[in-house]
Amino acid sequence: ANHKERFEGVANGNQPEGLQHLQTQVTCLSERLNAFVAAQIQGHDPPSQSELALLADALQKDEREEQEAHTRLLLRIDELCTHLSKAAETPAPWVQLEALGRQVEEMQKAEQ
């Protein structure tokens, strides 16, 4: 699955491991960048400028995707809390909760 599918999966609650995967990728890219800097300090032959630019671009892209996934996840949590709070205020909470659950499912399907 590509990055977009992974963070959409996180936002839809289908792949909670998607966010973890993005964090792992960002960590890996950060370690590669640190190794590059260490090699330059030690006087080893550094990778080409284009390779460094690609690495920096990939790191920035992954960080943006991770932030977007995190933001979507927080919005989903807020939405769920709002629905749960509404359900708690009704006289027949189980019937209302089931209806709200269906609405959330429909909203998730519509976003896909």
Side-chain angles (χ1 to χ4, degrees), residues 17-107:
E17 69 276 0
L19 184 58
Q20 179 64 36
H21 176 75
L22 288 174
Q23 288 172 334
T24 301
Q25 284 189 319
V26 168
T27 301
C28 179
L29 289 170
S30 178
E31 289 170 358
R32 286 178 58 197
L33 187 57
N34 288 339
F36 168 76
V37 170
Q40 265 196 325
I41 290 172
Q42 294 175 359
H44 294 125
D45 229 3
S48 69
Q49 288 295 333
S50 62
E51 185 178 348
L52 179 58
L54 288 173
L55 180 61
D57 287 344
L59 180 61
Q60 288 176 345
K61 180 182 176 194
D62 281 350
E63 286 176 346
R64 279 192 307 271
E65 289 175 348
E66 182 180 359
Q67 182 60 40
E68 290 172 5
H70 186 254
T71 299
R72 286 183 177 195
L73 183 61
L74 290 176
L75 288 172
R76 283 281 185 223
I77 290 170
D78 185 52
E79 186 178 300
L80 178 61
C81 289
T82 300
H83 288 302
L84 289 174
S85 134
K86 287 179 184 178
E89 296 171 1
T90 62
W94 296 111
V95 173
Q96 293 296 323
L97 185 59
E98 183 178 335
L100 289 172
R102 282 193 300 271
Q103 287 176 354
V104 169
E105 287 175 357
E106 290 171 11
M107 289 171 63

Side-chain angles (χ1 to χ4, degrees), residues 2-3 5-7 10 18 25 43-44 66 68 106 108:
N2 64 31
H3 296 300
E5 290 169 347
R6 284 190 182 104
F7 79 72
V10 169
Q25 284 189 319
H44 294 125
E66 182 180 359
E68 290 172 5
E106 290 171 11
Q108 287 177 340

